[in-house]
Amino acid sequence: MYKVKATKGDLWAAANDLSRGDLTEFHSLQSGRNPLDVIPKYLDETTHAIKCGSLVLAVGGHARGNIWFVTTNVVEMLSKGERFRFYKILKDHLRGIKEAAPEVQLGNIVSADNHAHIRLLNALGATFARGVVMSPAGFQFRQFWI
């Protein structure tokens, strides 16, 4: 398992195999979109992928302080030890981002129903705004900073 600069192919692979929670969150944010049309457009100099061999586990970036990542169904198949390794890669990457630009406030929103991501964000040290914001699709999201 390793982290690399993402390619358009990595983003396409992730968009084509979003985890159940991330696919639900994607549609809860704004309805009528196709992940294959949206996610590959987020490729920039900050975008990385976590892979296991040729399989994409996650992709994400942090352009202009707007931190994001999505996971694929491959993550659901990881053993407990592999999940810990995945978490460690995420945590080390986040530490590197913060060290490179300590003045940048990283944040975004997460679906109030995406409990797996909220648990992960809590483990990574995120703080959350009180209350919720409504998405254009009419679902509750929580703002966070990390």
Side-chain angles (χ1 to χ4, degrees):
M1 194 177 302
Y2 55 96
K3 178 190 79 169
V4 295
K5 288 286 276 178
T7 66
K8 192 101 159 165
D10 293 332
L11 272 72
W12 191 89
N16 196 44
D17 192 30
L18 286 179
S19 65
R20 184 178 60 236
D22 285 349
L23 183 59
T24 299
E25 181 167 320
F26 180 85
H27 292 301
S28 296
L29 184 59
Q30 185 178 336
S31 60
R33 301 181 304 160
N34 181 336
L36 292 169
D37 295 333
V38 176
I39 292 173
K41 292 179 182 176
Y42 282 88
L43 182 64
D44 65 21
E45 67 280 352
T46 71
T47 312
H48 285 81
I50 298 176
K51 300 174 82 171
C52 186
S54 64
L55 299 175
V56 176
L57 281 70
V59 294
H62 62 279
R64 297 172 303 282
N66 190 29
I67 195 162
W68 66 276
F69 72 95
V70 293
T71 58
T72 69
N73 285 307
V74 177
V75 171
E76 302 295 324
M77 296 182 272
L78 297 178
S79 69
K80 188 175 183 178
E82 290 167 329
R83 284 179 185 260
F84 182 76
R85 175 75 180 127
F86 178 75
Y87 167 76
K88 181 151 178 24
I89 291 170
L90 281 175
K91 189 171 183 155
D92 290 346
H93 181 67
L94 179 60
R95 184 176 25 255
I97 293 169
K98 288 180 172 185
E99 288 173 358
E103 71 286 354
V104 176
Q105 177 68 56
L106 301 171
N108 205 332
I109 57 174
V110 62
S111 170
D113 293 327
N114 195 338
H115 304 293
H117 265 180
I118 291 172
R119 279 192 309 274
L120 178 59
L121 288 165
N122 277 318
L124 291 170
T127 58
F128 292 87
R130 295 180 194 238
V132 296
V133 295
M134 299 303 287
S135 73
F139 292 89
Q140 294 182 347
F141 277 71
R142 297 181 64 195
Q143 186 171 7
F144 70 87
W145 300 270
I146 195 160

